């Protein structure tokens, strides 16, 4: 029998394939084991035939755009993650990002955003994201920088006619406030939705999409399932955010796009739908949200 530590590094088994193909609306293939080709083939074998590869910094966004140019089944999203913008501006002394950068100030932030702007113009780049606000990891000194970066990403998305992919952690009210103040792009996706049912109804009123990840399958997360129930079916997406947020019963083990069927089946059970009907809706919604 494998030890507990070994099991946590062992990829979960392949789930039964979905009969109706779906998309993983948010993944990070560059952070997963194996090659992108292997990950995409494994996903396709269980009915996950499209993925949105999401950048979190300039190098990752370049990589996403290059991968999407190589694979028809991959669409790219490019951005500075909400935690990345303060690190560019203020420096990264703790090395959390692995880059240990000196403070770059406004000039460095402007240069990074200019590169994101250029990447957003590419046809294989379908979205600007993940951007937004994250008050969990960045302290008070980074809030203003995050908000400036978020506003500028909104402008980039609107100017290029691309979807906006939002990372929202411990910042629900401010995220919505900035979106409404700036004027949201035509298509907005809340990645790894973490709000409650009331917020889901607010998002629905504005026509925004809510993408649900592994946490919706966790036993303790009934409020998140209530939010799913409050979301119109034509605004529901599904994602892995792999290699993070692996769905139950594999929580704590490596996540990858091939595990989307696990989350789809759990969501279908919550909604009282046949998995095929949910998959059809998710596939159509993702194509509409990302305009492919």
């Amino acid at each position: 029998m494998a030890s507990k530590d070994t099991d946590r590094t062992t990829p979960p088994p392949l789930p039964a394939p979905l009969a109706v193909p779906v998309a993983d609306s948010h993944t990070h293939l560059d952070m997963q084991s194996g090659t992108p080709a292997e990950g995409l083939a494994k996903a396709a074998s269980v009915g996950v035939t499209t993925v949105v590869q999401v950048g979190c910094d300039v190098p990752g966004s370049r990589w996403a755009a290059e991968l999407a140019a190589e694979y028809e089944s991959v669409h790219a999203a490019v951005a500075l993650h909400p935690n990345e913008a303060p690190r560019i501006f203020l420096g990264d002394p703790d090395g959390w990002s692995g880059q240990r950068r000196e403070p770059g100030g406004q000039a460095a932030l402007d240069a990074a955003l200019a590169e994101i702007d250029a990447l957003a113009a590419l046809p294989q780049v379908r979205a600007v994201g993940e951007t937004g606000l994250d008050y969990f990891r960045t302290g008070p000194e980074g809030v203003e920088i995050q908000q400036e970066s978020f506003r500028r990403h909104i402008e980039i998305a609107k100017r290029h006619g691309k979807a906006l992919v939002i990372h929202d952690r411990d910042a629900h009210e401010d995220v919505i406030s900035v979106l409404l103040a700036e004027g949201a792009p035509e298509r907005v996706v809340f990645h790894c939705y973490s709000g409650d049912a009331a917020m889901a109804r607010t998002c629905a009123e504005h026509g925004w999409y809510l993408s649900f990840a592994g946490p919706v399958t966790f036993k303790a997360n009934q409020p998140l399932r209530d939010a799913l129930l409050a979301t119109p079916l034509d605004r529901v997406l599904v994602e892995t955010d792999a290699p993070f947020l692996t769905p139950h019963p594999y929580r704590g083990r490596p996540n990858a796009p091939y595990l989307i069927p696990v989350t789809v089946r759990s969501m279908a059970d919550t909604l009282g739908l046949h998995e095929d009907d949910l998959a059809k809706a998710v596939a159509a919604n993702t194509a509409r949200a990302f305009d492919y």
Side-chain angles (χ1 to χ4, degrees):
M1 181 180 291
S3 71
K4 187 175 181 181
D5 287 343
T6 301
D7 189 57
R8 289 182 70 82
T9 63
T10 303
L14 280 171
L18 293 167
V20 176
V22 298
D24 180 349
S25 77
H26 193 111
T27 195
H28 303 282
L29 289 165
D30 50 329
M31 302 180 192
Q32 298 164 37
S33 61
T35 66
E38 291 167 344
L40 293 169
K42 202 170 181 181
S45 74
V46 295
V48 183
T49 54
T50 306
V51 306
V52 179
Q53 168 65 27
V54 180
C56 293
D57 56 16
V58 168
S61 294
R62 285 192 205 117
W63 192 90
E66 290 166 3
L67 190 75
E70 184 177 354
Y71 291 95
E72 191 175 343
S73 61
V74 178
H75 305 296
V78 299
L80 307 179
H81 188 283
N83 294 138
E84 173 69 0
R87 292 190 186 103
I88 291 172
F89 196 110
L90 300 172
D92 192 16
D94 63 1
W96 184 88
S97 68
Q99 299 182 48
R100 289 196 178 276
R101 290 164 290 188
E102 295 298 315
Q106 189 67 48
L109 183 60
D110 289 346
L113 285 165
E115 181 138 10
I116 296 300
D117 187 8
L119 290 168
L122 298 172
Q124 73 271 27
V125 174
R126 300 291 181 169
V128 173
E130 58 187 284
T131 182
L133 301 173
D134 186 326
Y135 295 165
F136 175 77
R137 186 166 281 112
T138 298
E141 71 281 0
V143 168
E144 188 175 332
I145 300 164
Q146 281 197 8
Q147 292 182 353
E148 178 195 347
S149 178
F150 186 23
R151 288 192 295 268
R152 292 175 67 178
H153 280 86
I154 291 170
E155 189 277 327
I156 291 169
K158 289 194 292 189
R159 184 155 38 80
H160 292 290
K162 303 295 170 83
L164 184 75
V165 175
I166 291 178
H167 172 105
D168 164 26
R169 189 169 185 185
D170 294 353
H172 301 325
E173 290 184 9
D174 283 2
V175 164
I176 290 176
S177 177
V178 171
L179 265 179
L180 296 180
E182 295 299 309
E186 181 181 349
R187 290 166 288 116
V188 173
V189 176
F190 275 74
H191 129 71
C192 189
Y193 181 75
S194 60
D196 60 12
M199 180 176 160
R201 286 188 285 269
T202 297
C203 291
E205 288 171 6
H206 295 287
W208 301 334
Y209 295 87
L210 305 185
S211 185
F212 292 86
V216 79
T217 71
F218 300 165
K219 186 176 180 180
N221 278 357
Q222 186 58 44
L224 194 51
R225 287 185 285 279
D226 292 341
L228 171 60
L229 285 162
T231 306
L233 187 58
D234 67 353
R235 289 295 179 266
V236 173
L237 306 182
V238 65
E239 65 174 87
T240 57
D241 196 23
F244 315 107
L245 304 178
T246 312
H248 176 80
Y250 307 113
R251 189 175 182 179
R253 292 169 66 179
N255 200 6
Y258 76 88
L259 290 172
I260 279 283
V262 178
T263 304
V264 167
R265 291 182 175 118
S266 175
M267 291 168 63
D269 184 60
T270 295
L271 293 168
L273 293 174
H274 190 283
E275 66 181 61
D276 291 359
D277 294 330
L278 178 57
K280 287 174 188 174
V282 164
N285 297 346
T286 315
R288 190 169 62 250
F290 292 94
D291 192 27
Y292 61 79

